[in-house]
Amino acid sequence: MHRWSSLFIPTLREAPADAEVASHKFLVRAGYIRQLAAGIYSYLFLGQRSFNKITAIVREEMDKIAQDSICPHCIRESFGNPAAAGP
């Protein structure tokens, strides 16, 4: 059994100065994401674990209705780029 107390989860007491949206403040303070550069974030342990669980739930529900699964990374990358969405 693995204890949460033995994990390194970097939390912050105060929100970052550049954070304006409440969800951004909460995710950074709770240790789910960390800013690498301007506009570039990486998932920390808790963020990656949550993302994997959500992906598994979506995949399970898509399998129940016999649909092809989707790639969340593909959606995120093509969302802002209409040319990447396909024909």
Side-chain angles (χ1 to χ4, degrees):
M1 183 169 169
H2 196 56
R3 296 187 181 271
W4 283 107
S5 60
S6 64
L7 292 175
F8 175 68
I9 302 172
T11 57
L12 302 174
R13 290 185 185 266
E14 296 185 18
D18 61 338
E20 296 177 5
V21 182
S23 59
H24 177 214
K25 292 177 186 177
F26 293 140
L27 288 170
V28 172
R29 286 186 61 200
Y32 283 78
I33 60 173
R34 175 174 287 160
Q35 186 171 6
L36 297 177
I40 300 174
Y41 292 86
S42 67
Y43 291 119
L44 298 178
F45 174 75
L46 290 176
Q48 186 64 45
R49 187 166 188 242
S50 299
F51 185 76
N52 290 342
K53 285 187 173 194
I54 292 168
T55 303
I57 291 169
V58 171
R59 182 171 290 126
E60 179 182 324
E61 294 298 321
M62 293 293 279
D63 289 342
K64 282 183 184 177
I65 59 173
Q67 293 292 319
D68 291 333
S69 63
I70 57 172
C71 175
H73 299 291
C74 300
I75 293 172
R76 196 171 51 202
E77 291 172 2
S78 65
F79 182 70
N81 185 1

